[in-house]
Amino acid sequence: MLVVFSGLPGTGKTTLSQALIKKKGFTYIRIDEIEFAIQQYNNSSEKIGAIGYEISFSIALSNL
């Protein structure tokens, strides 16, 4: 099962996700963390486009 949370900042996505992780033992993938790691690796603060989403989808697929 794949559950995706999307929405504006401060709407409770992370809070709800963390509750589901504790209750169901789901895997948690946060696109912001992936994008931050890519920027750190490239030593850049530029936007990286859709690559964070593509990596997240690959990780999610491998966990299904």
Side-chain angles (χ1 to χ4, degrees), residues 7-58:
L8 296 172
T11 58
K13 298 177 302 288
T14 300
T15 302
L16 186 55
S17 304
Q18 296 295 337
L20 280 172
I21 289 166
K22 289 179 183 175
K23 185 167 184 149
K24 299 289 186 179
F26 289 167
T27 299
Y28 181 65
I29 303 166
R30 189 163 186 254
I31 293 172
D32 290 343
E33 291 176 19
I34 292 170
E35 290 176 338
F36 179 74
I38 293 168
Q39 288 173 329
Q40 292 297 308
Y41 181 80
N42 290 329
N43 197 24
S44 172
S45 61
E46 293 181 25
K47 294 210 177 240
I48 58 171
I51 191 71
Y53 287 93
E54 292 180 31
I55 292 169
S56 298
F57 293 151
S58 294

